[in-house]
């Protein structure tokens, strides 16, 4: 099903973009909503397209992955172009894609709780792109449903399924909010790493000022932290916004041979819900 919304005025889009970078903090008491961003972004003219409709229109769409390059290189939708939402020339790249390949432009990220795809579509609307949509089910849903239409390290995912990290292997590296927080605050032999984008990060210190920022768009900074952890025999405690980006980071850490790292379950969002919102 495609969900269509009215095109907003430019001023409303600008307001939307200014708010979208801040963390979305929801109460743990709120009911589950499968696509919580749709009601928010419908007010700003964002058109949402679901999993099955994107499959149907894939050959006639210009699909754009707006995640950091590392995530795109590991796994992306077949034929998708890459334009990091945080890149300085995002607007120019989007206009060039429309001119060369035509519309609709369909933007996606990790989906559901991650709003980067919506934000990218809102910016495209502001630029005057003829048709902009947001595929909001995310990369994980896509590869599970259409592995032959996903590229893992450049190869069809259904042909290299044995190279994909299993759910059990991922879960073995996940710590619940309280356990992660306790180690982050009390252990001396850890490095706490915030891999959120610059747009998601805020000035609030959750772990006693111990966290260091290393967004996935700056993988060299993260690699330096990894090297430091190895030299000092420290454990890496890593968190993102929603517990989704760390899935793709795990591939990079495994390729580097890192064996002492853990992720915050559900990302900072769940930490807010389970610990800070009490």
């Amino acid at each position: 099903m495609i969900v269509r919304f009215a095109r907003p005025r430019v001023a409303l889009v600008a307001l939307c973009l200014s708010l979208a970078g801040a963390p979305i903090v929801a109460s743990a008491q709120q009911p589950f909503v499968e696509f919580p961003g749709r009601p928010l972004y419908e007010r700003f003219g964002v058109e949402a397209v679901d999993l099955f409709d994107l499959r149907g229109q894939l050959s006639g769409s210009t699909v754009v992955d707006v995640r950091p390059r590392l995530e795109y290189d590991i796994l992306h939708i077949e034929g998708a172009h890459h334009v990091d939402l945080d890149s300085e020339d995002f607007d120019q790249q989007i206009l060039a894609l429309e001119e060369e390949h035509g519309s609709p432009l369909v933007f996606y990220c990790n989906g559901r709780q991650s709003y980067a795809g919506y934000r990218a579509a809102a910016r495209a609307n502001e630029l005057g792109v003829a048709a902009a949509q947001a595929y909001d089910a995310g990369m994980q849903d896509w590869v599970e449903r259409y592995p032959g239409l996903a590229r893992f390290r450049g190869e069809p995912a259904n042909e290299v399924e044995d190279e994909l990290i299993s759910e059990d292997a991922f879960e073995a590296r996940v710590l619940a909010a309280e356990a992660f927080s306790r180690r982050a605050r009390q252990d001396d032999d850890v490095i706490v790493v915030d891999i959120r984008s610059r747009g998601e990060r805020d000035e609030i210190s959750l772990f006693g000022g111990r966290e260091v920022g290393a967004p996935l768009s700056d993988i060299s900074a993260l690699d330096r932290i990894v090297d430091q952890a190895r030299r000092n025999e420290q454990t890496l405690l890593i968190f993102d916004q929603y517990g989704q980006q760390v899935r793709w980071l795990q591939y990079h850490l495994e390729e580097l041979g890192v064996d002492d790292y853990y992720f915050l379950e559900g990302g900072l969002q769940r930490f807010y819900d389970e610990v800070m919102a009490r």
Side-chain angles (χ1 to χ4, degrees), residues 184-199:
R185 295 174 186 276
Q186 299 177 5
D187 289 5
D188 294 327
D189 60 344
V190 302
I191 300 179
V192 185
V193 187
D194 179 353
I195 66 167
R196 293 178 299 158
S197 70
R198 293 178 178 87

Side-chain angles (χ1 to χ4, degrees), residues 28-146:
Q29 303 303 314
Q30 290 181 345
F32 171 76
V33 178
E34 187 173 18
F35 296 100
R38 285 187 181 182
L40 172 64
Y41 280 85
E42 68 180 355
R43 292 176 287 167
F44 303 101
V46 173
E47 180 180 337
V49 57
D50 72 11
L51 180 73
F52 301 106
D53 282 334
L54 178 58
R55 171 65 186 92
Q57 69 178 62
L58 190 62
S59 62
S61 301
T62 302
V63 181
V64 187
D65 187 321
V66 298
R67 302 174 301 160
R69 185 80 199 191
L70 178 140
E71 297 178 58
Y72 173 85
D73 285 345
I74 291 170
L75 191 69
H76 62 262
I77 294 175
E78 179 181 16
H81 303 270
H82 177 256
V83 184
D84 191 327
L85 181 60
D86 286 339
S87 60
E88 294 181 357
D89 61 344
F90 178 86
D91 293 354
Q92 293 89 335
Q93 291 190 64
I94 293 308
L95 291 174
L97 278 176
E98 184 189 31
E99 181 177 356
E100 182 177 356
H101 300 284
S103 55
L105 268 63
V106 182
F107 300 92
Y108 75 90
C109 56
N110 284 312
R112 298 187 186 274
Q113 290 183 312
S114 179
Y115 293 178
Y118 297 127
R119 291 164 57 198
R123 283 181 65 171
N125 280 339
E126 186 180 21
L127 292 170
V129 169
Q133 301 172 333
Y135 161 62
D136 52 4
M139 193 62 239
Q140 189 68 25
D141 279 22
W142 182 269
V143 72
E144 289 176 2
R145 184 65 179 84
Y146 304 117

